[in-house]
Amino acid sequence: MNLISPIVLIKQSGRECPLCGSKPGEPGCPECYRFFADELKPALTALYGAPTHRGEVPRRFDERSKRERRIAELKAELAAAVAAEEFERACGIRDSLRLAQNETEAAQHGLV
Amino acid sequence: MAWYDTAGQCGDVVIASRVSLTRDLEGYPFGERLSGGAREELIGRVTSALSGAGLTEVDLSALEPAALKALAEKRLIDPEFAGMELPRTLLLGEERGLSVAVGGRDHVKITALLPGAAAGEAWSSASELVRLLDRSCDFAYSEELGYLTSDITSLGTAAEFSMLIHLPASGENSPMSGLRRCGLEARALPGDLWSISAPPFPGITEEEQSERLTGMTGRIAALEREARAELRADPTRLCDRVMRAYGIMSGAYRMTLGELMPLWSSVRLGAVIGLPELPSPEELGGILMSVMPSCLPDDGDPDVLRAARLRAAMRPRLKESCRRSGIVGLNTKED
């Protein structure tokens, strides 16, 4: 049984959220979670430890995750091709990697 | 089809399953901080995104307080949402057990409420609406914390899975105190009812929440059925409990909700174990909902009105039962 609400562990500071104007405490908007990350850390740690979300992911993050995984796979393939001195194959992988990286950058700027 | 008057899977113990998904949009404050043009804009965006979902938009400002209370009593909206004074909207797909509250404490709360043990189906139904919304709205989200909501203690999946179960036989002997160790919470309600829920938490998936809840509820249901079987070993005592409650429900001229709930529970127990001449569990669910405060007329003593409505609902069966048993009929003008 929790005798103390984790909310009381939220650190106080003189800052105000740029979106909603809230001070550190109960979040007044989604931006509060990022802006007050330091102030909220003790409370979030008490509640959740070191969390990593494993549930459903929003569409925009899911696509970003897929792109990042693809880039990581291509980098591994490129390293393996170079190590095996399969330079022609490595060139093809390098081109695919550049394409994937360009797509990711374009998506980050809202161009995709 | 409403959850309270429709038979569902494991309906002898599990009355209903509910999944609520909370989603907030990036760039908008929570709750009452969201006002004016920003509030209208958010409501417009969500309503537009869900326009193809076959839901009906309910103008809450045009509803009487009793109608709002009725929606809350049917668990289609939270009492807090019903009582808000800021503009907000409700999208209903009542025949599918779906409701979407827009502009409450969180921007969007999608609820699927189905009869019986149906957590998986309710989750599937609610998440279909979330996917529709996700096409055009950016959800507030963090890769560590999951979905960001107004409640710092309800992050992660921001999905609450719960079941309403009826334990007239095992009740206090159920393993409720151990549920917390399994990540579940139990809340006792009048009428031997319990709400078992699997709250959200970063680090577990929706499937794990659903499985924990379904698995543990299954075990509790099995214990309840064993306890009911033990009651049947003493049929006179059991029938006396059930029929005494039935008699009071059918004959009282004044009935508070507090008095009604244990009686209703005993009659429902009789109905699920198959005692004859009782309303079905689904009929009992409908009867109970029909005598909730929001469903009673405004004029008159609600306890007297409730009792009259119960007599009207229960007496035809009592009369039939007496007739078949050869008992001389009741001499009242209501017969």
Side-chain angles (χ1 to χ4, degrees):
Chain A
M1 181 176 72
N2 288 328
L3 296 176
I4 300 174
S5 165
I7 309 298
V8 305
L9 299 175
I10 298 173
K11 285 194 283 188
Q12 293 306 306
S13 68
R15 304 199 302 151
E16 288 184 2
C17 173
L19 179 66
C20 67
S22 303
K23 291 191 171 16
E26 290 273 13
C29 74
E31 187 57 29
C32 286
Y33 283 96
R34 298 171 196 111
F35 189 74
F36 295 124
D38 284 340
E39 289 91 333
L40 291 173
K41 194 170 178 183
L44 291 171
T45 304
L47 281 166
Y48 306 121
T52 303
H53 179 65
R54 293 176 51 237
E56 294 277 307
V57 175
R59 173 193 44 86
R60 61 195 170 106
F61 282 88
D62 201 28
E63 285 161 6
R64 190 178 81 181
S65 296
K66 281 180 192 166
R67 280 192 284 265
E68 286 171 357
R69 276 196 300 273
R70 177 75 180 133
I71 288 171
E73 283 165 10
L74 285 169
K75 283 181 177 172
E77 277 180 45
L78 179 60
V82 167
E85 297 185 2
E86 294 172 4
F87 298 115
E88 200 171 320
R89 189 168 80 88
C91 282
I93 297 169
R94 180 202 59 198
D95 292 342
S96 299
L97 179 58
R98 277 188 190 150
L99 190 62
Q101 286 169 330
N102 289 342
E103 280 175 2
T104 299
E105 198 174 324
Q108 282 171 355
H109 290 98
L111 298 173
V112 173
Chain B
M1 177 193 87
W3 60 271
Y4 49 84
D5 64 7
T6 306
Q9 201 175 0
C10 303
D12 58 328
V13 178
V14 184
I15 294 178
S17 301
R18 185 174 191 241
V19 173
S20 288
L21 305 180
T22 301
R23 294 291 183 265
D24 290 276
L25 275 59
E26 287 286 6
Y28 297 93
F30 297 135
E32 293 185 351
R33 285 188 175 86
L34 180 66
S35 60
R39 178 168 275 270
E40 274 182 39
E41 182 184 288
L42 180 131
I43 291 173
R45 283 184 67 186
V46 172
T47 310
S48 172
L50 294 177
S51 59
L55 303 171
T56 304
E57 189 170 347
V58 176
D59 181 3
L60 294 170
S61 62
L63 292 183
E64 297 289 332
L68 281 169
K69 197 171 176 185
L71 287 171
E73 283 171 354
K74 289 178 184 175
R75 301 291 188 267
L76 292 169
I77 56 175
D78 296 332
E80 187 187 347
F81 185 77
M84 279 179 78
E85 293 190 354
L86 286 171
R88 63 222 187 284
T89 200
L90 178 66
L91 304 173
L92 271 187
E94 212 165 341
E95 64 291 344
R96 289 180 284 161
L98 287 170
S99 63
V100 183
V102 188
R105 188 180 175 191
D106 289 281
H107 300 152
V108 184
K109 188 167 184 178
I110 296 171
T111 300
L113 183 50
L114 298 176
E121 293 90 324
W123 154 238
S124 182
S125 205
S127 56
E128 217 176 286
L129 292 184
V130 166
R131 277 192 290 275
L132 203 55
L133 201 52
D134 196 6
R135 284 185 204 164
S136 54
C137 298
D138 287 346
F139 295 144
Y141 176 81
S142 145
E143 285 172 343
E144 293 79 33
L145 299 171
Y147 291 96
L148 304 175
T149 71
S150 67
D151 184 355
I152 193 175
T153 65
S154 295
L155 305 180
T157 60
E160 173 131 356
F161 289 72
S162 61
M163 285 188 183
L164 182 65
I165 59 176
H166 183 218
L167 305 178
S170 59
E172 290 164 7
N173 297 324
S174 284
M176 296 305 177
S177 57
L179 291 187
R180 199 166 270 275
R181 286 195 295 272
C182 310
L184 300 175
E185 292 174 2
R187 189 162 58 99
L189 300 167
D192 299 313
L193 295 171
W194 289 81
S195 172
I196 313 291
S197 60
F201 195 93
I204 66 169
T205 67
E206 291 83 352
E207 286 75 18
E208 286 163 353
Q209 279 181 272
S210 179
E211 280 163 11
R212 270 185 209 181
L213 177 66
T214 304
M216 184 51 72
T217 305
R219 277 181 243 164
I220 293 171
L223 288 171
E224 169 66 17
R225 292 184 187 112
E226 279 176 22
R228 290 177 187 180
E230 283 174 21
L231 288 181
R232 291 177 89 137
D234 188 348
T236 304
R237 191 185 177 104
L238 175 60
C239 288
D240 185 60
R241 172 182 170 178
V242 173
M243 297 314 293
R244 192 178 285 266
Y246 183 44
I248 296 172
M249 274 180 77
S250 311
Y253 274 70
R254 188 175 197 88
M255 180 75 71
T256 67
L257 202 51
E259 287 172 313
L260 173 61
M261 291 311 296
L263 300 172
W264 175 89
S265 172
S266 292
V267 175
R268 192 179 191 276
L269 169 64
V272 297
I273 65 174
L275 291 187
E277 309 299 345
L278 293 176
S280 68
E282 296 76 49
E283 284 172 327
L284 284 167
I287 290 168
L288 180 62
M289 197 54 70
S290 74
V291 299
M292 296 300 276
S294 66
C295 294
L296 298 171
D298 281 334
D299 53 328
D301 185 333
D303 296 338
V304 171
L305 293 167
R306 178 175 295 111
R309 200 167 270 194
L310 285 169
R311 288 197 308 277
M314 310 284 280
R315 274 202 170 185
R317 283 185 177 268
L318 183 61
K319 276 178 60 182
E320 180 59 22
S321 178
C322 290
R323 186 189 68 75
R324 289 188 189 181
S325 307
I327 297 170
V328 173
L330 305 159
N331 289 324
T332 71
K333 63 181 176 185
E334 289 163 2
D335 293 341

